[in-house]
Every structure is written in C-alpha cells, then in structure tokens.
C-alpha cells in the first residue's frame, strides 16, 4: 500500500516507517519538524514538509493518492496540556480534523491513530482492558478520547476505517541502531535516566517511595517502540482487509517499577546515575498496566522486545551514538 505517515520524522513515527518498509509498503513522510528530526528520515521515502494546521498542505499531500495514513502528529506532554489547553485543542483536535477531512476528500479511508492509555485515567481495576471506563485526568488524554469519538462518527458517516492504538509507555530504540534521533525535551522516565547517565542532566528525581508496590515506587507498563511500530503495521493490514475499525490497548502486561528501571540502567550503563527520592507527584497512580489479550486475538501481536534489559540497552545505545557525534 501507499501510506502517508504524518509525524513520520518523530521518535515513534520513524520506527513505524521502518516497519512499514520492512512489510513492503511504499511510505511518504509528512512532518513539520517541530519535534521530528531530518536524521530520522530514510532516503528511500518521499518527504513532505507540511503542517496539519494548514489544510492546503494536507490537500496537496493527499492529492498524490494514498491507500492509508498513520497519524502520529499530536502534542503529548500531559503536564503541559493542563497549563496550555488551547495549544492542545488547536494541534490535537483541529489538526486531526483537518487531516481526516483531507483524507476523506481524496478517498483515503484507512487510518491508524496513535491514541493513548491517558484516555482511561485513574485505573479502576488492573490490568486495564479496552472496556475500562474512560475518564481522562489530563487534557492531553481528553483530546485523544475526543478524537476517538470523531473517528467513530467519520466511520459511520464517511466510511473511514480506523485503528485507535492506545499505547502505554513507549520506550527503547530500534535494536539495529537506526533510527536513533533523540527525543527533544523528554519527560518520560527512561530518557531522563539516560540523560543523567550521559551527563546531560545532573540527577534523577524519583517521585514517591511509599506506594503499595513491591518496592514502594510506581509501576508502569513500558512497551518497546519497535513493538509499537509492528502493531501499527498489523493494525493497518487488519482494517484494510477486514474493512472494520478497531480500538486496542498495547501494553507489555508486566509493569516495571521506577527503582527496577533505575537499577537496570545502572547495571547496563555502568554509571552511578544519582537520584533524589522525593515526595509523590499529584495524580500519579501507584500501578498502571494493560492486558493485551485483545491485541493478541485480533492482530496476533504481543510485546516481544519489551523486557527491561532490551528497553535500557537499546536506549543507551542511542544516547552513546549521540555523545559520539559531539
């Protein structure tokens, strides 16, 4: 298939592009490079510099003729979304509607959307499945849930078939070493640990050591980015052949504590990685992890790269390459 990957120069997007190419699809990347990197682009792919907030850019892109598109161009910092909701409204909601409208206009009726576990909010039970109540606790999660609702309507009214992939915590880098462009201004645990290990920041802050978990720190579900990328390809093939839409959770099902991730990083990098253990952060649940039973059943997908050592070692490899280039 001819696939347009919107946000394909970004961290997750570039890994999705790689897996699409491995599966034999012809890929074009559309990106405004606000967080994506030219170094993440593959020479085999066409690149369109454009913005989802400019409908004329999208109209020109879709006029090239695509069988499907993958949308990874959202803002994703949950904390920022609570202080700048207007930014998230415009980019995530308006931008996605612009994208869907252009796709429908040009008859591109297969869409894979990077949704989020943030649609669920505080877990009412564990592991979280697809039927878990949706009650986002931040505006970022609200935008993802609203987009899922828009897609439901576009499916019903315009025949747009979609897969909404609800990630838990994306982490790691391609085991082959490319793409390896570092995320800009990372807020997630593993890249922050790597920044400390590589001397880019002084120390790690661990928020809360008195949770009801096996070591007192929060448990989160980390999914290797290559596993996520493979899921995008499988989801695209599912909706295009079955002609039916899909909402599915993508998790490793195991869960890792903050201390376990930190200790694995110290062991693998050989670095001290100083850490301050401070009080809890408001709104952080003790445990958050998924069941991927539905993904196994529908997509024949499971997280095969998402063990702690692979997550840490592949991320450390990307940071080491970055340090070598300096």
């Amino acid at each position: 298939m001819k696939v347009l990957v919107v946000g394909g120069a970004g961290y997750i997007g570039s890994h999705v592009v790689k897996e699409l190419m491995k599966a034999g699809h012809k890929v074009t990347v559309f990106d405004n490079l606000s967080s994506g990197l030219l170094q993440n682009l593959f020479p085999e792919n066409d690149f369109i510099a454009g913005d989802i907030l400019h409908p004329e850019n999208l109209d020109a892109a879709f006029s090239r003729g695509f069988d499907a598109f993958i949308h990874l161009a959202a803002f994703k910092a949950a904390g920022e979304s609570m202080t700048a909701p207007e930014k998230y409204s415009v980019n995530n909601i308006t931008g996605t509607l612009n994208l869907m409208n252009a796709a429908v206009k040009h008859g591109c009726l297969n869409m894979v959307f990077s949704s989020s576990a943030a649609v669920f909010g505080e877990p009412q039970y564990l592991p979280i499945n697809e039927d878990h109540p949706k009650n986002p606790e931040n505006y970022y999660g609200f935008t993802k849930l609203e987009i899922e609702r828009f897609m439901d309507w576009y499916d019903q009214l315009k025949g747009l078939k979609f897969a909404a992939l609800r990630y838990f915590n994306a982490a790691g880098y391609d085991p082959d070493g490319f793409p390896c462009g570092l995320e800009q201004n990372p807020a997630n645990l593993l890249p922050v640990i790597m920044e400390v290990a590589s001397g880019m920041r002084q120390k790690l802050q661990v928020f809360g050591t008195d949770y009801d978990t096996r070591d007192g720190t929060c448990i989160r579900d980390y999914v290797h980015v290559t596993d996520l990328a493979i899921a995008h390809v499988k989801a695209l093939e599912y909706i295009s052949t079955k002609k039916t839409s899909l909402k599915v959770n993508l998790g490793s099902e195991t869960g890792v504590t903050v201390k376990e991730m930190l200790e694995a990083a110290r062991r693998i990098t050989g670095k001290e990685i100083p850490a301050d253990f401070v009080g809890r952060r408001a709104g952080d649940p003790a445990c958050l992890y998924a069941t991927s039973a539905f993904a196994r059943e529908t997509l024949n997908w499971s997280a095969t790269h998402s063990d702690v050592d692979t997550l840490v070692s592949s991320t450390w490899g990307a940071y080491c390459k970055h340090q070598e280039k300096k």
Side-chain angles (χ1 to χ4, degrees):
M1 286 189 282
K2 290 179 65 178
V3 184
L4 182 68
V5 181
V6 182
Y11 166 56
I12 297 175
S14 56
H15 286 81
V16 170
V17 168
K18 182 169 186 174
E19 292 302 323
L20 285 166
M21 291 165 59
K22 284 167 66 174
H25 300 292
K26 181 173 173 50
V27 179
T28 297
V29 171
F30 181 102
D31 204 300
N32 68 0
L33 299 177
S34 62
S35 59
L37 301 169
L38 286 172
Q39 73 187 77
N40 282 339
L41 297 174
F42 294 83
E44 302 95 315
N45 303 137
D46 290 336
F47 172 62
I48 301 171
D51 197 301
I52 60 174
L53 298 183
H54 297 151
E56 67 277 9
N57 293 170
L58 292 167
D59 190 58
F62 278 101
S63 68
R64 298 187 181 199
F66 293 99
D67 303 304
F69 67 103
I70 297 179
H71 178 21
L72 304 112
F75 293 146
K76 65 184 181 98
E80 182 190 45
S81 76
M82 299 296 279
T83 58
E86 62 279 8
K87 175 179 177 179
Y88 283 68
S89 296
V90 172
N91 186 79
N92 291 13
I93 294 179
T94 304
T96 301
L97 289 173
N98 289 341
L99 182 54
M100 292 165 63
N101 288 339
V104 166
K105 174 183 174 182
H106 290 278
C108 182
L109 299 178
N110 295 298
M111 173 182 183
V112 178
F113 173 60
S114 73
S115 191
S116 169
V119 302
F120 296 113
E122 180 76 25
Q124 317 240 330
Y125 55 82
L126 292 168
I128 293 173
N129 62 12
E130 286 74 10
D131 295 326
H132 187 283
K134 283 75 176 175
N135 187 26
E137 293 193 322
N138 54 63
Y139 193 73
Y140 160 71
F142 168 80
T143 66
K144 292 289 192 178
L145 186 57
E146 288 306 292
I147 291 164
E148 288 192 11
R149 291 171 173 157
F150 286 128
M151 292 190 300
D152 283 333
W153 277 105
Y154 272 57
D155 182 353
Q156 180 180 330
L157 301 175
K158 294 291 187 178
L160 177 67
K161 300 305 173 190
F162 69 86
L165 305 183
R166 295 169 178 154
Y167 312 164
F168 280 65
N169 293 276
Y173 278 82
D174 186 271
D176 298 333
F178 188 88
C180 61
L182 302 185
E183 286 188 273
Q184 301 177 55
N185 304 311
N188 294 334
L189 175 64
L190 187 51
V192 170
I193 289 174
M194 292 295 117
E195 287 195 348
V196 178
S198 57
M200 298 165 69
R201 68 170 77 196
Q202 286 191 316
K203 60 178 62 177
L204 171 71
Q205 280 194 313
V206 178
F207 298 98
T209 58
D210 58 350
Y211 287 98
D212 185 17
T213 62
R214 53 186 172 264
D215 63 17
T217 60
C218 289
I219 293 175
R220 293 293 181 268
D221 194 337
Y222 295 93
V223 191
H224 196 283
V225 66
T226 297
D227 287 329
L228 291 178
I230 292 168
H232 283 76
V233 178
K234 288 179 175 283
L236 175 58
E237 292 167 351
Y238 179 92
I239 63 171
S240 61
T241 56
K242 303 282 188 182
K243 305 299 181 187
T244 186
S245 294
L246 181 71
K247 297 176 185 178
V248 62
N249 293 356
L250 300 177
S252 69
E253 301 190 295
T254 53
V256 179
T257 72
V258 176
K259 282 184 179 177
E260 287 167 349
M261 189 71 82
L262 176 58
E263 289 307 318
R266 285 171 170 164
R267 171 171 50 83
I268 288 168
T269 65
K271 304 291 185 179
E272 182 182 348
I273 312 181
D276 281 342
F277 293 86
V278 299
R280 294 187 184 191
R281 194 167 47 183
D284 275 349
C287 300
L288 195 60
Y289 55 93
T291 170
S292 293
F294 187 58
R296 279 195 299 276
E297 176 190 333
T298 56
L299 302 178
N300 190 29
W301 177 89
S302 60
T304 58
H305 299 77
S306 297
D307 60 282
V308 176
D309 281 14
T310 301
L311 291 169
V312 173
S313 60
S314 62
T315 307
W316 182 234
Y319 276 80
C320 288
K321 283 189 177 182
H322 178 74
Q323 296 293 93
E324 290 166 6
K325 291 176 182 176
K326 285 191 170 182

